[in-house]
Amino acid sequence: MASTANPERAISAAPPPPAFAQAALPVTNRGLLTLGVMAATIMQILDSTIANVALPHMQSALGGTSETITWVLTSYIVASAIAIPLTGWLSDRIGSRNLFLSAVAGFVLASMLCGLAVNLTSMVVFRILQGIFAAFMNPLSQTVMLDINPPDRQARAMSIWGMGIMVGPIMGPLLGGWLTENYDWRWVFYVNVPIGVGCFAILWALLPSRPIRKRTFDLFGFTMLAIALASFQIMLDRGQTKDWFDSWEIRLEAMLAASSAWMFVVHMLTGKNPMFDRALLTNRNLMTGLGFMLVVGILMFATMALLPPMLQRLFGYPVLDTGLLLMPRGIGIVMSMAVAGQAIQRNVDPRWLVGTGLVIAVASLWQMTTWTLLMGEADFVWTGFVQGIGLGLVFIPLNLSAFSTLAPQQRTEGASLMNLFRNIGASVGISVVTALLGYNIQSEHMSIGGHVTAYSISSVDPSISGALGSTGEGLMAMVDAEVNRQAAMIAYLDDFKLMMILTIIALPLVVLLKRATKPQPGAKDEMPHVGFD
């Protein structure tokens, strides 16, 4: 009766939620903070691809050549790869809040400087700064999304975060092309300023911080890792233009990368204060997740490196139409991520989702190996949409499985490793498919050209083309252009087949994932449980 007479007292006396249902870092306005975190994530991931379509305009404005202008992209990638492993140590040393705010502020400032660059040297320097600050934003944003949400909402949080990560690279070329055509190439950098200012204001007002932990900096380990990553990235970027291992530069970079990586691994296993917690190396889910991240990086970024030039050069689509044809891939990703998040909340085994996503990705890649030069837009739209569904089903369960057995204090280091391996997969994938594309175009051109005779083309006799003067030269130029077009299409199909085979090989890794257990009542949030059985 007392509770009926005084309902307010009864409500206030209600027991607090159990510890296992609380977030590691509770916040007052989780929705607004999520908006700020996602703004930082999308802003950073867009910059990995938004500048690609503006390179020809930058080349003429900054006085670069076709070879040197690529350093605008390479400098960003290399700087980001080197800085990512520092995220965990810096987060513990100066606080995750301070590092996130510094990263956003530094990224916005570097973006402004990139837009103001007057020559190639200054642009490369500013892109290095931008890449360093960008490196911290993805791991920190992923960690924050896990920390501010209780276990029963972490699947949904990872769905939201994953949408920004996966859709950003697809939207980058479209937005970059639109800004370049309608305004100026400098706006691909200036667009970060208003977004970054709003993002910084939200984070300043609402972002909590993890406790600061004093850790000894592993200078030797970081140096070895930095040399290995930098050498590897430069080797991948310059290999195509230097004819790969026929060049001593590429050989030296490969040897430097391999030896530095070996010394880093030995130091990690035997050193007194290694750069990463050695417990991460024995975590089966995280290690398996890192292997899958290599595959996801290859599938996502290598495909995005192949499709725009193929659509523009072989099928004649302009930049904006190319971006629109690639959008269904993003729609598929968003839809399947939302479904994956809901499925995990309903205790669906994430291993089934990852396996299903990989099978769908294989099916879409198989469909891409049947493409022809006579295709219409519907084929590109449908195949891209299906592949997006597959990638979305893989990404969210994979991240949640990888983090399901990590303690909260290990999340930032785990996130930095996941992002690093995704970037490595992207770099390797882009370099491999680009190198194979060039090689296969040449070999297929020779193969097809060998069959261009008077018997195979009744209307054109190559042996008498010289006697026809300019008319004969024009006819043979048309034949050669068509041979090039057919050879290029075959080369693209070979790349799609290679990615399909790689995805099939990765499928058995699903069985290595360990299914996490549900949190028990009364247990503290020592692990980011996501509602698995």
Side-chain angles (χ1 to χ4, degrees):
M1 295 297 293
S3 60
T4 306
N6 193 353
E8 293 183 1
R9 183 176 178 180
I11 294 174
S12 63
F20 69 89
Q22 297 177 2
L25 295 177
V27 292
T28 56
N29 196 330
R30 186 168 54 212
L32 184 58
L33 179 56
T34 299
L35 178 63
V37 171
M38 290 309 304
T41 303
I42 294 173
M43 178 177 62
Q44 183 275 331
I45 204 68
L46 275 176
D47 261 59
S48 64
T49 57
I50 195 173
N52 295 29
V53 295
L55 282 184
H57 301 270
M58 293 184 196
Q59 180 179 334
S60 58
L62 301 176
T65 64
S66 57
E67 183 176 347
T68 59
I69 196 63
T70 58
W71 278 98
V72 174
L73 304 178
T74 304
S75 57
Y76 181 91
I77 294 172
V78 172
S80 182
I82 293 174
I84 281 180
L86 286 172
T87 308
W89 182 82
L90 283 173
S91 177
D92 287 341
R93 187 73 178 182
I94 68 174
S96 57
R97 170 186 166 87
N98 293 334
L99 181 59
F100 207 159
L101 290 171
S102 300
V104 172
F107 185 84
V108 171
L109 177 61
S111 298
M112 292 176 60
L113 293 174
C114 288
L116 296 171
V118 295
N119 54 50
L120 184 59
T121 301
S122 60
M123 172 61 82
V124 170
V125 172
F126 299 148
R127 283 286 280 177
I128 290 174
L129 290 175
Q130 193 182 36
I132 291 172
F133 290 115
F136 307 131
M137 294 166 68
N138 270 359
L140 288 173
S141 64
Q142 186 175 16
T143 304
V144 170
M145 293 293 283
L146 288 169
D147 284 346
I148 66 175
N149 285 277
D152 62 338
R153 294 182 60 92
Q154 285 175 353
R156 185 180 302 174
M158 283 295 95
S159 298
I160 297 172
W161 181 81
M163 290 175 191
I165 292 293
M166 301 291 278
V167 176
I170 298 174
M171 297 300 298
L174 177 62
L175 179 59
W178 183 79
L179 290 172
T180 302
E181 289 188 4
N182 291 278
Y183 296 96
D184 186 78
W185 66 264
R186 298 181 185 274
W187 275 98
V188 303
F189 300 109
Y190 290 150
V191 72
N192 292 328
V193 177
I195 299 175
V197 170
C199 168
F200 184 87
I202 294 174
L203 297 180
W204 178 271
L206 299 174
L207 184 65
S209 182
R210 288 169 165 270
I212 293 178
R213 293 193 299 158
K214 299 298 181 182
R215 291 174 54 190
T216 303
F217 181 63
D218 182 12
L219 179 60
F220 178 79
F222 172 71
T223 302
M224 291 299 100
L225 183 58
I227 293 174
L229 291 173
S231 303
F232 187 63
Q233 292 284 355
I234 294 172
M235 180 195 75
L236 292 175
D237 184 73
R238 294 176 60 81
Q240 180 71 9
T241 59
K242 295 294 182 180
D243 203 16
W244 290 103
F245 291 101
D246 288 336
S247 166
W248 269 107
E249 177 192 333
I250 301 303
R251 294 176 188 172
L252 290 173
E253 287 164 354
M255 288 187 289
L256 188 60
S259 58
S260 300
W262 172 254
M263 287 188 283
F264 172 75
V265 171
V266 172
H267 177 71
M268 270 292 298
L269 296 175
T270 61
K272 185 178 180 181
N273 294 301
M275 187 170 184
F276 297 106
D277 186 352
R278 264 195 287 266
L280 296 175
L281 302 179
T282 61
N283 189 297
R284 192 172 78 185
N285 272 22
L286 180 63
M287 292 296 103
T288 306
L290 295 180
F292 271 121
M293 271 299 152
L294 289 173
V295 178
V296 171
I298 293 173
L299 284 178
M300 184 69 185
F301 290 92
T303 305
M304 291 307 300
L306 290 173
L307 290 180
M310 186 190 77
L311 292 173
Q312 293 174 38
R313 297 170 187 171
L314 299 186
F315 293 87
Y317 291 109
V319 174
L320 291 181
D321 288 352
T322 298
L324 291 174
L325 286 176
L326 296 177
M327 281 187 65
R329 186 180 309 272
I331 295 173
I333 289 173
V334 170
M335 291 177 59
S336 61
M337 282 186 174
V339 171
Q342 290 295 322
I344 290 176
Q345 286 185 321
R346 297 177 184 274
N347 296 324
V348 174
D349 192 335
R351 294 170 294 188
W352 283 105
L353 296 174
V354 172
T356 302
L358 288 174
V359 170
I360 293 175
V362 168
S364 68
L365 287 167
W366 175 81
Q367 184 64 39
M368 291 169 73
T369 63
T370 66
W371 282 357
T372 70
L373 289 168
L374 302 178
M375 284 172 37
E377 297 177 355
D379 298 289
F380 298 118
V381 169
W382 173 247
T383 305
F385 177 74
V386 172
Q387 190 170 95
I389 290 176
L391 289 173
L393 286 177
V394 170
F395 194 77
I396 296 304
L398 179 61
N399 273 274
L400 288 169
S401 295
F403 283 92
S404 64
T405 51
L406 291 181
Q409 62 268 22
Q410 295 175 324
R411 286 173 179 168
T412 304
E413 287 190 349
S416 64
L417 286 173
M418 293 285 281
N419 282 274
L420 176 62
F421 272 68
R422 189 182 70 245
N423 291 349
I424 291 174
S427 298
V428 172
I430 291 172
S431 297
V432 169
V433 298
T434 303
L436 287 177
L437 182 69
Y439 174 80
N440 287 336
I441 287 176
Q442 294 179 1
S443 62
E444 292 297 335
H445 184 278
M446 293 177 61
S447 176
I448 297 173
H451 293 84
V452 178
T453 65
Y455 299 100
S456 60
I457 306 179
S458 58
S459 59
V460 179
D461 187 349
S463 63
I464 64 171
S465 61
L468 299 177
S470 59
T471 302
E473 292 178 0
L475 288 173
M476 292 311 300
M478 292 174 59
V479 172
D480 185 63
E482 183 59 27
V483 170
N484 281 331
R485 189 164 169 259
Q486 296 289 341
M489 189 64 198
I490 294 173
Y492 278 112
L493 298 183
D494 288 341
D495 275 351
F496 298 147
K497 185 180 298 183
L498 174 65
M499 289 190 287
M500 180 185 70
I501 294 172
L502 177 63
T503 308
I504 293 173
I505 293 174
L507 261 171
L509 289 176
V510 173
V511 301
L512 297 179
L513 290 174
K514 180 181 177 182
R515 195 175 190 189
T517 57
K518 289 182 179 180
Q520 299 299 318
K524 295 181 179 179
D525 185 19
E526 295 179 351
M527 292 186 182
H529 300 284
V530 291
F532 304 165
D533 284 334

